[in-house]
Amino acid sequence: MLPIIDRYILREVTKSFLAIMTVLMLIVVSQSYIRILQDAVAGAISNEVMTRLLGLEVLQVLGPVTPPTFFFAILYTLGRMYRDSEMTALAAGGVGLRRIYRAFALVAVPVALVVAWFTLGLVPWVNANKAEIMQQQKEESAELGMAVAGRFNEFSKGGLVFYVEKMSEDKRRMHNVFVQNRQHGKLGLITAAEGYQYTEPDSGDLYLVLTRGHRYEGTPGNNEYSVGDFDKYAILIDRRDQVSDSLPAKAIPTDDLFGSEDLRMRSELEYRFMFPIAVLVFTILSVPLSKSLPREGIYGRLLLALLFYFLFLNLQAVSGNWMVSGITPVWMGRWWVHPLMLLLGGAVMLYKSPRMFRVLRNRLRSRLA
C-alpha cells in the first residue's frame, strides 16, 4: 500500500492528466477528421476508409501527446497545491522535494514505458498501415470501375475528365463516352461509342481504350483545330511502374532501424526514443517549475511550461535536420536536446529563485572547503 501522501498526489495528478488528455485528444481528433474529410471530398480517399484512417490518426498521436499531457498535469497539480498552501503544510510536516519526486517517479516510469511502446511499436505499425491504405486509394483512384454514370468523373489529378452516359452491370464497358484530356499542352476532346479499361500485362500501366469515335485537338481561343476519326484510341491513365513499394522511414519497424548506417534511419530511431525520455526529463523539470508563493496564480507557470515544451519540439525538429546534414557529430545525434532542456530549466529556476542559487553556492563552497 502506498502512503497517504503519495496516494493523494497520484490521485490529483491522474485526474488532471485524464482531463487534459481528453481535451487534447478532442482537438487532435477534430483536426484529423477535418483533414480526412477534405481528402474525401477532393476524391483522394473513399468514404469507406475514413473511419479506419481516423482511428489510425488517434493511435498515432497517443505517443507524442502523452509527454506534454503528463508534464502539464504535474504542473497544474503542484501549482494548485502551492496556491492552496498544501505544499507549505507538507513541508512543515517534513515532506521535502525528495519525497515529492518519489511520488511522481512511481507513475512517471510506467508512463515512460507506455510511451516507449507507443513510439517504438505502435506508431510505426500505424504509419505502415496508413501508407498501405493511401497506396491502395491511389491505385483505386485510377480504376475506371469507380466511375459513376451520368456525371463527370475526374482522374489523374484533373488531367483526365470523362462523362459516361451508361455503364454495363459489371462496370467494364462504357457507352456513349465524352472525354477531355491534355497532351503536350493541348486540350483534346473525344467522343466515342464505347470504352473500357485495359491493363498492360508487362508494365501494369492502365489505359482507357475508346472505340468508334472522334477526336478534336487544339488550343481554346484559336481557330486551328485538328479533327480525326478512329476505330480504337488508348489514353494512358496511370503508370504503375512508377509506384514505389518502399516504406517511408517513419513506417519502418524499430527492430529494422537498429544497426543501420543510414543517418536518416538513425535519426528516426533516436526520434522515437525522445518521447519516452521526455517524460522523465519534464517530470524532473515540472517540480521546480511549479513552485510559487501561496495564493499566487498558476497560469504564469503554465505559460512558461508551454514555452518550454514548444522549445523542446523545435529543438527536436532542428536536431534531426542537423544530424542528417552533418552539422552535429554522429555520436551526439539528437541526444543533446534533453540535457540542454535540463540546463535551461535549471538556469530559469536559479534566475527566478535567487535564494536557491545562494543555497547551492554555499553548499558547493562548503564541500570544496
Side-chain angles (χ1 to χ4, degrees):
M1 296 294 293
L2 292 174
I4 295 176
I5 296 176
D6 293 348
R7 292 203 306 269
Y8 174 72
I9 293 176
L10 295 182
R11 183 173 66 249
E12 294 298 318
V13 170
T14 302
K15 290 192 298 184
S16 301
F17 176 82
L18 293 178
I20 298 174
M21 176 64 79
T22 301
V23 174
L24 290 180
M25 290 304 296
L26 286 175
I27 296 174
V28 171
V29 171
S30 300
Q31 293 178 344
S32 300
Y33 179 74
I34 293 173
R35 186 173 64 253
I36 293 172
L37 188 61
Q38 290 175 345
D39 293 338
V41 172
I45 60 175
S46 61
N47 297 332
E48 290 76 12
V49 301
M50 286 182 58
T51 305
R52 291 177 57 191
L53 285 176
L54 184 60
L56 291 175
E57 286 284 346
V58 172
L59 295 177
Q60 185 180 18
V61 301
L62 283 176
V65 166
T66 302
T69 304
F70 188 66
F71 178 40
F72 296 138
I74 296 177
L75 284 169
Y76 180 82
T77 301
L78 288 181
R80 184 194 60 78
M81 294 176 67
Y82 273 111
R83 183 194 61 190
D84 297 341
S85 301
E86 294 181 13
M87 293 299 294
T88 304
L90 291 176
V95 179
L97 290 180
R98 183 178 301 179
R99 180 70 177 277
I100 299 298
Y101 272 119
R102 189 187 73 175
F104 287 129
L106 294 176
V107 66
V109 173
V111 170
L113 294 177
V114 172
V115 173
W117 178 74
F118 283 151
T119 57
L120 299 180
L122 183 62
V123 172
W125 176 83
V126 169
N127 288 325
N129 278 269
K130 287 177 60 179
E132 181 181 356
I133 291 175
M134 297 308 297
Q135 181 61 41
Q136 291 176 354
Q137 292 298 301
K138 180 181 178 181
E139 294 176 358
E140 290 178 0
S141 65
E143 298 286 342
L144 298 182
M146 296 180 63
V148 179
R151 78 177 191 185
F152 287 92
N153 301 269
E154 180 179 324
F155 293 90
S156 301
K157 298 181 179 180
L160 173 66
V161 180
F162 67 91
Y163 177 89
V164 182
E165 182 179 345
K166 184 180 178 181
M167 297 187 70
S168 61
E169 293 183 359
D170 57 2
K171 292 190 175 183
R172 294 183 178 274
R173 307 289 296 190
M174 297 173 288
H175 303 280
N176 296 333
V177 185
F178 172 83
V179 180
Q180 172 187 292
N181 71 322
R182 290 185 178 273
Q183 290 184 351
H184 310 294
K186 293 185 177 181
L187 181 66
L189 300 177
I190 304 174
T191 59
E194 290 187 350
Y196 59 90
Q197 178 179 296
Y198 171 75
T199 302
E200 179 69 28
D202 298 331
S203 62
D205 295 345
L206 295 179
Y207 290 89
L208 171 61
V209 180
L210 304 174
T211 60
R212 304 193 310 275
H214 311 279
R215 174 174 173 81
Y216 309 89
E217 184 178 274
T219 303
N222 194 328
N223 294 329
E224 295 182 0
Y225 274 83
S226 60
V227 181
D229 300 330
F230 59 85
D231 291 329
K232 182 180 290 188
Y233 188 86
I235 302 175
L236 178 64
I237 302 175
D238 184 54
R239 291 186 180 275
R240 293 296 175 89
D241 56 351
Q242 294 180 351
V243 177
S244 177
D245 296 330
S246 60
L247 289 174
K250 62 182 180 180
I252 298 177
T254 303
D255 294 340
D256 297 342
L257 297 180
F258 283 101
S260 176
E261 297 297 330
D262 189 350
L263 287 180
R264 295 186 180 276
M265 300 302 173
R266 296 182 63 175
S267 175
E268 176 64 25
L269 178 62
E270 295 181 10
Y271 171 78
R272 297 179 186 180
F273 276 102
M274 294 184 78
F275 288 104
I277 298 176
V279 174
L280 304 177
V281 170
F282 283 101
T283 300
I284 297 173
L285 290 175
S286 60
V287 175
L289 283 176
S290 62
K291 187 176 181 181
S292 60
L293 298 175
R295 302 188 182 279
E296 184 181 357
I298 63 176
Y299 298 104
R301 300 287 179 172
L302 289 176
L303 179 59
L304 179 61
L306 189 63
L307 294 176
F308 253 76
Y309 202 82
F310 277 137
L311 176 62
F312 168 73
L313 293 179
N314 289 328
L315 291 177
Q316 193 180 48
V318 169
S319 64
N321 295 330
W322 286 358
M323 179 179 178
V324 174
S325 60
I327 297 178
T328 55
V330 177
W331 61 267
M332 182 182 296
R334 309 177 74 164
W335 305 114
W336 55 271
V337 176
H338 297 101
L340 179 61
M341 295 304 301
L342 289 175
L343 290 175
L344 290 176
V348 170
M349 293 314 302
L350 291 177
Y351 175 76
K352 291 288 185 179
S353 302
R355 180 175 176 274
M356 184 184 300
F357 175 74
R358 290 193 298 268
V359 170
L360 293 176
R361 183 185 60 187
N362 293 334
R363 287 182 180 179
L364 181 61
R365 286 180 177 177
S366 62
R367 290 186 180 182
L368 292 177

